[in-house]
Amino acid sequence: MPHFDDHPAARDHLSVDTEPGSADPQTLRDVAVRVAVSAAAHASARRPQVFATVGHDVRPTAAGEEAVDTKSTPTDPVTVVDTETEVLIREALASLRPGDAILGEEGGGDSGPEGIRWVVDPIDGTVNFLYGIPAYAISVAAQVDGVSVAGAVVDVAGGSVYSAARGHGATLHEADGSVHTLRCTAVTEVSMSLLATGFGYAPERRKRQGELIAALLPRVRDIRRIGSAALDLCMVAAGRVDAHFEHGLSPWDWAAGSLIAEEAGAVVRLPSAESSSADGDVTVAAAPGVAVALDDVLSQVGALDPIPV
Ligand code: IPD
Ligand code: CA
């Protein structure tokens, strides 16, 4: 299990003054990293308590079954760990940044995007978290007037911390202390591009998403469905995929990861900060050498049109 209690990313982001009210992107990034790393410590420690592990076979315990509820559809889960982790994040932000607004996947938010607002996904990739597939993340972003200016995404199972501040680049801190500046791939052909995507929870949206994949698959190198949009966007930044697109993401899915991708050179197309998943707007993040051509291909197959539900 990765150790987050003394993670090098949190140590590196201790130095800057976290003056309440400051809108400085580097200050906001420090807060995002520290809050997301401490949330990852909780989620990482809680998973084996809620879900039993036998060898490599990870199944929910009886307690785990009770710890899982559903949201928009029977296939859209929320676990007790999602709820607990968001509470911790809200408490940490209230202490470090009193007065800032918060929008969270589980607890919602009651203000608009004006001013400084923290946008939080306590566990992105909840289905993976449930099944023990090691691709789930904590995502914490700071937006100013609806534009992401700082963000952190923690790959909980991998022990890695992705972060960015607008105008200051994007970084990956590994658990072993190594630090990498993130850059997108140098791909120049859509036909050679590895394209990450994801599917919503509503069956009618999935049907259309499947049709779009059928149209795109012959035109790209291959498709990946990792199961966490926040990690997909970080993988664009890290050059592990060339691009990501998905319809119907919520602001907490893209707020941190899209900035990390953008600061690594990606060209992004985002829903508005006021949008909700039901609007079905598309999110795209692409390596700069294929961004224009990919936009053309997505437009030709109808993938830039929203898929509302
Ligand atoms: C989901 C993941 C998934 C994406 C879905 C999201 P959740 O978030 O990001 O990759 O395809 O659209 O809802 O439910 O695990 O927080
Ligand atoms: Ca999510």
Side-chain angles (χ1 to χ4, degrees), residues 71 82 105-106 120-126 137 139 201 227-230 249-250 252-254:
K71 295 194 290 184
D82 296 66
E105 173 159 19
E106 312 309 338
V120 172
D121 196 338
I123 300 182
D124 187 51
T126 301
S139 176
Y201 291 107
S228 159
L249 291 182
S250 299
W252 44 80
D253 299 315
W254 57 257

Side-chain angles (χ1 to χ4, degrees), residues 71 76-77 82 105-106 121-128 197-201 205 209 225-232 244 246-250 252-253 277:
K71 295 194 290 184
D76 179 5
D82 296 66
E105 173 159 19
E106 312 309 338
D121 196 338
I123 300 182
D124 187 51
T126 301
V127 173
N128 288 344
T197 191
F199 307 115
Y201 291 107
R205 176 176 287 158
Q209 288 176 313
R225 196 292 191 248
I226 306 288
S228 159
L231 286 179
D232 283 355
H244 163 82
E246 180 166 348
H247 291 84
L249 291 182
S250 299
W252 44 80
D253 299 315
S277 172

Side-chain angles (χ1 to χ4, degrees), residues 39-40 42-43 80-90 122-123 138:
H42 178 78
V80 67
V81 188
D82 296 66
T83 316
E84 291 168 2
T85 305
E86 183 163 322
V87 168
L88 287 180
I89 292 171
R90 284 175 183 272
I123 300 182
I138 317 285

Side-chain angles (χ1 to χ4, degrees), residues 184-187 236 241-243 265-267 285-292:
C184 293
T185 65
V187 68
V236 173
V241 296
D242 298 302
V267 178
V290 288
V292 171

